[in-house]
Structure formats: structure tokens, C-alpha cells
Amino acid sequence: MASSILLFLFLSFFILKTSSQTCTTQKLTVPKTKTLYSNCINLPYLNSYLQYTHNPSNSSLSIAFIASPPSPSGWVSWGLNPTGSGMVGTQAIAAYSEDGKMTIKTLDIQSYKVLVPGKLSYEVWDLSAEESDGVIRIFATLKVKEVGEVNHVWQVGPSVSNGRLDIHAFQPGNLNSKGILKFSGGHTSSSTVVDSNTRNKNIHGILNAVSWGVLFPLGVIIARYMRTFPSADPAWFYLHVGCQLSAYAIGVAGWATGLKLGSNSVGITYSLHRNIGISLFALATLQIFALFLRPKKDHKYRHFWNIYHHSIGYTIIILGLLNIFKGFDILNPEKKWKTTYIGVIAALGVIAVLLEVITWIVVLKRKANNSTKTVDGYNNNGQ
């Protein structure tokens, strides 16, 4: 009984201590002047905090960044981005514990390919770091050129290999850990501010969703159901071809942006998404060639061409839909975008079901009429 009470008290103390660790409860001082920081922010992601003081007289920004790495061998970093709102262009300060000693690195991040130490574009002094109870604190003073506000980025990573920071996770918190730091106090989340890489991801997603996820299924619906009506011939064929050619052109553009994103993100690999994308491009290209190899209706090989054409077409639709939802999981956009796309696909599905029913009704009536004509012909002609 006594041990249970002690365990309860210990857990209660731990939970209380953890929940009370906010920016304002961590009274830190500027190392050189021993004065409290003027501003304090509970950053919205990665359980991180920032205390800072801006001195307009010498354009200096003194900061204390506090965060816990994902593992004891992990790293934390904070930096300013004078050119954008994302990772590329960030002038970062990273720290980690190695053999009981703190190591600090400055990183001039010019691309997603590699993170190598480099001199910052900002003048930095009074740089130090400390670690206690799994929490790392970075102290620094930077001479800032910006007036009023500046973009800042923070991050945590799991490990360090041979002095190089290993890649961080890609959970929503890691992807959204950026904002606008106001020198007078306050922070604005930059989740609505789109950097170039995020913009390219959005373009990649939109192009492929429109191509493989809307136009290709629409083209199949046109071909399957409009040709049932003789009055729609040959209009249905030109609509079908136009729709599929447009889908292919847009899909190739989306595929190309995907290749570009991959080349700019060394170490970030989405193998299944990439492989499905390559397969879609190859299959769609085969479909385009099939258009030029299409035999006439009465040709002896037309039946085999139809099997090939239909099989490839339905395979493209299935793989396209699968890859689009894989893309949603990777890009992790606002829920409304995924919901909207599901609504569009559901609408196309309902239309296809209704047209399927109408088509079978028309076909069965046509067969019934043909049978009646045959019987009437027998009665009248005696044959």
C-alpha cells in the first residue's frame, strides 16, 4: 500500500513538473549581462521555447532556444531565414551532447541535399549551449539586418553520425516548425506562408490529382458510356482522346515536378510513391502509343487491342488513385483538401454507377427489339 502511494506521488510530481515546463517558468538570463530576456514564446511545435531580447541600438538579437531532442543522442537547432520561410536559406545554430560535452555547429543551409557546417551570414557572438534533464539550451547573440521582424525556423533530430546531423522526422510538427519572430514581442505561425519547396510540392500534388485522379477517370467514363448512343458517334471518341491527352500532358508535368523534388531532397525517399509514379508514366505512355496503333473495327486483331487498351486504362486509374492518397499522406495538407478530392471522386463514382444502369437498360432493350424483329421476320417470311 505504501509503495503504491509513493509511486502515485512520484508520477504526480513528474506530470506536474512536465506540464509546468513552459517558457515563462524557465527564467533564463542573457549570459553576458545576466539580465532576464525581454520576450518569451512557447513555440507551437516540437515542445520548444524561445526567449529573446532585441536591442535596436546595435541591431542585436540575444536568444535562448530551449528544446528536447527525440533521443539522448539527438540534436536541436534554431535559426533565422533572411530569404524565405522554410529550411532552405536558414542560418542555423545546432547543438548536441557528445561524450558528456556540448557541441555547437553553425549551418548555412543552402539546399535540402546536405547539412554541412558553415559560416553564417549573420555576425554571431556569445555562442554557448548546455544540457540538463534531457533539455538542450542554446544561447547566442546575432547582429540582425531586418527591421521589426524576421523569419525563424527551429528543429530537432534523432541522432548525429560522425559529426553530421542525421535527418529529422517528417511529422506535421517537424514540417511546421517555422514562423515570424517579431522583435517587439510575439510570434506568428508561418503555416500559411509557403516556401518554394512547399509550393512545388503543392503544384506536384495538384497536377497529379487533376491528371490521374480526375481527367483519366472522366475520359474512361466518356468512352464507356457515351458510345452506347449512336448519335454520340464519333463525338465521344474525340472527347475521350482529348480528355486522355490532356490528362497525359498534365500528368507528365506532375511527374517531372516529382523528379525535381526528389533530386532536391537527397536522403528523403518515398519509394512506393515514387515507384507508382514511374509506373503510371510508363503505362500512360503505352496508352498514347496505342492510339496510333489502333486497328480498324473489323480488323482481326481489334479484339486483342481492346483487351490491352482497357486493361492498361483501368490499371492506370487504380494506381493513380492509390498514389494520390499516398501523396496526401506525404504532403499532409489541411483536411479540407483531401475531403474535397474524396467528394470529387465520389461524384464521379455516382455518375458512373448511374450511367452503368442506364447503359444496361439501353442495351437490353436493344437486344429485345432485335429479337422481336427476328421473330416477326420468321412469321412473315416463313423462314
Side-chain angles (χ1 to χ4, degrees), residues 110-360:
Q110 295 300 322
S111 74
Y112 288 93
K113 294 182 178 180
V114 288
L115 300 179
V116 295
K119 185 178 180 181
L120 304 186
S121 61
Y122 295 94
E123 183 182 348
V124 185
W125 63 94
D126 295 338
L127 187 59
S128 63
E130 63 183 27
E131 187 269 339
S132 64
D133 298 328
V135 177
I136 295 178
R137 301 174 185 87
I138 297 176
F139 301 91
T141 300
L142 303 90
K143 190 174 185 64
V144 293
K145 314 175 188 69
E146 294 78 9
V147 177
E149 62 184 32
V150 64
N151 295 314
H152 73 135
V153 180
W154 63 99
Q155 193 57 259
V156 298
S159 56
V160 179
S161 300
N162 298 322
R164 299 175 70 92
L165 306 184
D166 291 331
I167 195 166
H168 61 75
F170 288 87
Q171 298 303 313
N174 300 92
L175 299 176
N176 293 318
S177 55
K178 54 188 176 181
I180 300 174
L181 184 66
K182 300 182 183 298
F183 294 151
S184 59
H187 167 274
T188 301
S189 174
S190 65
S191 58
T192 56
V193 180
V194 182
D195 60 272
S196 60
N197 192 64
T198 302
R199 182 172 60 251
N200 290 336
K201 288 181 180 179
N202 291 338
I203 292 172
H204 171 71
I206 291 171
L207 289 175
N208 286 296
V210 171
S211 170
W212 313 112
V214 177
L215 289 179
F216 260 109
L218 181 61
V220 171
I221 289 173
I222 290 172
R224 178 167 176 78
Y225 301 114
M226 285 189 65
R227 65 180 178 182
T228 304
F229 306 95
S231 59
D233 193 16
W236 72 264
F237 175 74
Y238 296 115
L239 284 173
H240 170 67
V241 171
C243 195
Q244 303 305 69
L245 286 177
S246 299
Y248 179 74
I250 296 172
V252 169
W255 180 68
T257 59
L259 293 179
K260 178 63 176 177
L261 286 168
S263 65
N264 290 340
S265 306
V266 175
I268 305 174
T269 305
Y270 302 103
S271 299
L272 181 59
H273 184 67
R274 180 193 61 192
N275 293 337
I276 293 176
I278 294 172
S279 300
L280 280 170
F281 171 73
L283 291 172
T285 302
L286 283 176
Q287 284 290 68
I288 297 302
F289 284 127
L291 176 66
F292 301 103
L293 300 175
R294 178 172 173 258
K296 295 182 179 180
K297 292 182 179 180
D298 56 353
H299 196 281
K300 64 178 181 178
Y301 293 125
R302 178 59 180 263
H303 174 69
F304 301 103
W305 183 90
N306 285 339
I307 293 174
Y308 149 78
H309 185 61
H310 296 163
S311 300
I312 297 295
Y314 287 119
T315 301
I316 288 174
I317 291 177
I318 294 171
L319 290 178
L321 293 175
L322 174 62
N323 218 27
I324 286 168
F325 283 101
K326 291 293 294 182
F328 274 122
D329 293 338
I330 294 170
L331 189 57
N332 193 34
E334 293 182 35
K335 188 176 180 181
K336 63 181 181 180
W337 298 112
K338 188 174 182 178
T339 302
T340 300
Y341 178 70
I342 291 174
V344 171
I345 290 300
L348 287 176
V350 170
I351 292 172
V353 170
L354 292 175
L355 290 175
E356 186 74 21
V357 172
I358 294 172
T359 299
W360 276 104

